[in-house]
Amino acid sequence: MGGNIGDSDVFKQVVKRLCKIKNISPRKPKFEVIENLMVVSIKNHLKDGVDLDCFNILNLIYQIIGPLGIRFNQQMYHYPNSERLARVTVSFKKEDYDDLNMKMKDMMT
């Protein structure tokens, strides 16, 4: 599929809409393109453990992509010299992200 990564981004719109419904700031999940990847970054605001909004956003993402069989990578980032979780990212290769958006468009029509 041609075009820029993130064009007609149904997945991003759905995640942000579901966040609003669950009273989570739709700005909390950050979507950014890094080279040939779409990266969704969720910042953790708790000093100990994982804040509930972070966990709920990850859960929303997995509920969407799991049944569709979309490949992704998850990575946790800790603060330097600490076990404290800074953020979690879920990343998709361009082809997989385009496939995800196509499947979601098909489901909505």
Side-chain angles (χ1 to χ4, degrees), residues 72-89:
F72 67 95
N73 288 314
Q74 176 185 307
Q75 193 161 3
M76 297 188 314
Y77 294 88
H78 292 91
Y79 287 100
N81 304 317
S82 168
E83 287 297 312
R84 183 175 169 212
L85 183 68
R87 63 188 161 97
V88 178
T89 63

Side-chain angles (χ1 to χ4, degrees), residues 2-109:
N4 292 330
I5 192 169
D7 280 358
S8 62
D9 199 338
V10 177
F11 177 70
K12 178 179 177 179
Q13 293 168 13
V14 168
V15 168
K16 289 192 174 278
R17 225 177 279 141
L18 288 171
C19 283
K20 252 186 180 172
I21 290 168
K22 295 196 174 276
N23 293 319
I24 300 169
S25 170
R27 293 190 327 232
K28 181 143 179 149
K30 304 277 189 237
F31 289 75
E32 60 183 325
V33 177
I34 301 173
E35 293 183 17
N36 200 32
L37 297 173
M38 172 58 83
V39 178
V40 184
S41 181
I42 304 125
K43 186 174 181 184
N44 180 44
H45 292 286
L46 283 185
K47 290 191 192 292
D48 293 315
V50 178
D51 75 62
L52 197 53
D53 286 350
C54 183
F55 179 80
N56 284 329
I57 293 167
L58 287 169
N59 192 44
L60 287 172
I61 290 170
Y62 301 146
Q63 286 177 345
I64 294 168
I65 62 179
L68 297 175
I70 301 298
R71 288 180 297 192
F72 67 95
N73 288 314
Q74 176 185 307
Q75 193 161 3
M76 297 188 314
Y77 294 88
H78 292 91
Y79 287 100
N81 304 317
S82 168
E83 287 297 312
R84 183 175 169 212
L85 183 68
R87 63 188 161 97
V88 178
T89 63
V90 178
S91 60
F92 306 86
K93 290 182 183 173
K94 179 187 182 327
E95 307 79 48
D96 295 324
Y97 198 74
D98 288 345
D99 190 32
L100 170 61
N101 275 298
M102 251 182 354
K103 287 180 178 181
M104 290 186 73
K105 278 182 201 168
D106 290 346
M107 288 172 42
M108 298 173 115
T109 55

